[in-house]
Amino acid sequence: PPQVNPLALKRLKGMRSFLVSNKIKDSISGDGPDGIARFRNTRGHPHPAHYAMYKEDVTVNDSMITFPEIRDATELRAIIRSVYWLNNKSTIANIEGRKAAEEQSEGTKEQISLAFDSIKSCNQLSSGVLDSRRDRHEFSIKVRQGKTAQNESGELPTVEYHVGQVVKHKSKSWRGVIIGWHMEKDENDGRLSSLTTKEYKVEDRSSSSSGSNGNTRKDASLLKYSILVDQIDLNDSRRIIYQSVDAGLLENSLTIEPQEELLPVDDSCLQRIHNQLIKEYFTKFDARGHFVPNDILAYDYPLDRFSHTKYGVFINPDKNIDEELSDSASISSTDLENSRLAICNSIQSIGRRLLLFLSERNRQQKKSSNEASSLMSSLTSSVQSMLVENKPSPGLDSAISSLVKLYLFHVKINSLFWFRNSNRPHKQHIDFSLGQIVKHKVYGFRGVVIAWDSKPRMDVSNWDGLKNIQNPNEKPFYHVYPDVNDSIHAFGGPRHFRYVCQDNLELSSDSVKPLELSVELDPHEWKWDGERGRYIPSAEMKFMYAEDLGEHEMTLIETVRNLRKIMTECLLEIRDGGNNDLFSMDDLFCQLQFGANNLEDALVIQDLIKELWKESSNCDLRSQIDNGIADLLDGKHESALKTFSDIVASDPFYGEAWNKKATVHYMMGEIDNSVKAAKEALKIDSRNFQALAGIGLIEMDSFHYDKAESAFRKCLAINPWLSTVSSKLSVCMSKRDNGSELS
């Protein structure tokens, strides 16, 4: 990165602190304290380092300035001007005097030169991008209009697919969504055709063997589509064409393909493409089977079918595009709106119920310790957020926003309760507390303790640093963020994280100031205590790791337990029905199938549904299933299987325990038992998409592609956002059609 003068950085840090805290803008005239007026532009224009001084997300320390993500060329120019000012000779002179500026001027000349070059490049880039976009816009209109007006002449290509449409590669079988199309130049006949060429000329081909009607095969090959490829499709090692996928495509998941190699994907189970770049090009997925281009893409391709502009009528002048697409919709907007209102009103009702309890508890406990007050304030704030009315929007995301708040509070309460119960029995064997500064006995680096495990989460018996420690797999291990300078000295470079055995740690005796960490600690979770020479964790962190919470500890534990009880009652009423004042599972599945318009929103609903399936009126069984899931994630399959088997023996109608039991059986290779357990889960709730996905996977592994396809389709009809399942469905269909077997 560019080097910035440390004297100017120090000055900038002080200026930001004063200006922001006093809400001073650089347009205010007059001398300010600490010599601020010397840095103000006397012509009344914004200060050249305005971006660095006032941008909220900019962070400045004595050695580095960090800017947020650069969104456009304007911001980049502002950053470059800030860097230029920091390195400017006159800036340094104002801080340390002219002599110091002269001494450092040679070292900054190269940086200043680079700054000027960057500003020049930004201007060229912005103008070049606009020119290219305008050319693309004009060319796409010409081609689309030519499709209806001149489709028999062959003067313009026939572009069969549209931006936002999902397609499949004929030979390679992956799916993807189109983000653009263009004509490549034919090097053999001298034609001009590109995104940056306004004129498109085709030579007379009346003498060619293909005749004068329609495009020739050669013409069609010049039409190329830019496609975001489904990343699950590319990473599935059992895909037919996996060996032939280009390594660059695997890494970037973006490719350019000719039209003749593509097929439209009309199967609704296969249309939700998973690619991390989708949000850069599209605003949402439309449940009618396509992605909706953002404003930039819609401008580039205004006549494409899904751009939703006035030009859309050119595609089918006899039918409005919205009317045409609505034919495939299977739910009315009224049903969706009713679902949204039910969810929003219900979550506000749950919030009022929780807040009533917290208000009463706060009234009873007027005086409390800092820890108790902090935790109660955090819990109250989370509940109050549920009561904030979310205004309806075209995307129906007010329901999603409400569900996010409910889900996060539910997870928060369960995490507090489960972590404390899990960690409390081991607290007596833990030598170091959260936030303490420790030192490694072997490597000598210092670090801050941010978490601990009663036993390591993996086999550490062969680790080099544990040669002299007996039974390291039975010892406590600590999550430590090491000091950067100590890491460089110990390892030759910075390290973000260390997982250290308790026997290799001791308290550091020379910690009088905060460590220099490569990972910034969350200021809401950690505070530095200079008097004690350590970091202080939040009350929530202390609660989870069973640390001392003062005289009100038992009251806090009881508060969290009662909040969890209220949440359990509400979630069971949602799952099992019986309370007309709350939304139902039908409302959740309605939002999952038709309300969610992107993967992030769908995951919130999907995860909440999973949490509803995990709930039980029996607190002990609820805790047991969490313990079993923890064992499953840690690879302790036998222990997890025993836990889930004990649960279903106690409660045969605990559907999620059956589902998790099926998962463990599958991972242990016990296929028949896995199918039996999955079917038990489906008897309890036929919409358990996890159980259906598991059955489909087993059938696929057994080469029963028809049965696998049936199970996957049932699964996707319930939850269409399961990208892994849709990818496997695509594989099954290809395998079945080709009559081949998995290798």
Side-chain angles (χ1 to χ4, degrees), residues 111-274:
Q111 292 297 322
I112 293 173
S113 176
L114 289 173
F116 275 122
D117 290 342
S118 298
I119 293 173
K120 180 180 178 182
S121 298
C122 282
N123 290 327
Q124 293 173 344
L125 175 64
S126 60
S127 61
V129 168
L130 291 176
D131 287 344
S132 175
R133 182 155 293 140
R134 182 175 60 252
D135 292 342
R136 187 183 296 115
H137 172 88
E138 294 174 356
F139 179 72
S140 67
I141 290 177
K142 181 178 180 181
V143 172
R144 286 299 184 191
Q145 288 178 331
K147 178 182 178 182
T148 57
Q150 306 175 13
N151 61 348
E152 296 297 329
S153 68
E155 294 183 6
L156 291 172
T158 299
V159 182
E160 296 182 3
Y161 306 119
H162 302 261
V163 168
Q165 186 172 359
V166 179
V167 293
K168 181 176 182 178
H169 197 281
K170 288 182 180 178
S171 60
K172 298 180 180 179
S173 297
W174 48 251
R175 296 162 298 138
V177 57
I178 294 172
I179 61 171
W181 50 266
H182 64 278
M183 294 294 295
E184 290 188 349
K185 181 179 179 181
D186 186 349
E187 298 179 356
N188 296 323
D189 62 11
R191 295 192 304 165
L192 297 176
S193 56
S194 72
L195 292 177
T196 57
T197 303
K198 296 182 181 179
E199 297 297 327
Y200 181 82
K201 295 183 283 188
V202 182
E203 292 184 358
D204 183 10
R205 296 194 172 223
S206 58
S207 59
S208 68
S209 59
S210 60
S212 60
N213 291 332
N215 293 327
T216 65
R217 177 72 175 177
K218 189 174 183 181
D219 291 334
S221 66
L222 298 175
L223 178 60
K224 299 294 178 67
Y225 293 86
S226 299
I227 301 170
L228 288 181
V229 180
D230 188 286
Q231 292 172 317
I232 308 297
D233 283 3
L234 290 179
N235 293 325
D236 193 331
S237 61
R238 291 177 297 185
R239 185 160 292 276
I240 298 172
I241 47 74
Y242 182 79
Q243 297 88 343
S244 64
V245 175
D246 182 77
L249 176 56
L250 283 172
E251 180 180 356
N252 301 318
S253 63
L254 191 152
T255 185
I256 297 176
E257 301 290 340
Q259 180 165 279
E260 62 266 24
E261 290 295 328
L262 303 176
L263 292 171
V265 175
D266 299 322
D267 190 331
S268 61
C269 290
L270 303 176
Q271 291 173 332
R272 286 171 170 83
I273 299 301
H274 174 68

Side-chain angles (χ1 to χ4, degrees), residues 418 426 453-459 473-474 499 626-644 660 663-665 667-668:
W418 184 83
H426 308 288
D453 299 317
S454 59
K455 293 181 181 180
R457 295 185 175 183
M458 71 286 290
D459 183 8
N473 285 318
E474 300 299 319
Y499 196 48
D626 282 336
N627 294 334
I629 292 172
D631 286 340
L632 177 60
L633 294 175
D634 288 341
K636 302 174 183 177
H637 296 155
E638 292 184 358
S639 175
L641 180 59
K642 183 180 185 307
T643 298
F644 298 135
K660 291 294 185 285
T663 301
V664 180
H665 279 306
M667 299 183 75
M668 296 176 68

Side-chain angles (χ1 to χ4, degrees), residues 9 51 70 98 119 124 145 167 173 259 289 307 327 372 383 417 444 549 559 598 629 657 686 714 733:
L9 270 181
Y51 189 89
I70 302 172
R98 187 64 57 182
I119 293 173
Q124 293 173 344
Q145 288 178 331
V167 293
S173 297
Q259 180 165 279
S307 291
D327 292 342
V383 170
F417 195 79
L549 293 169
T559 297
N598 59 70
I629 292 172
S686 60
K714 290 178 181 178
M733 295 171 65

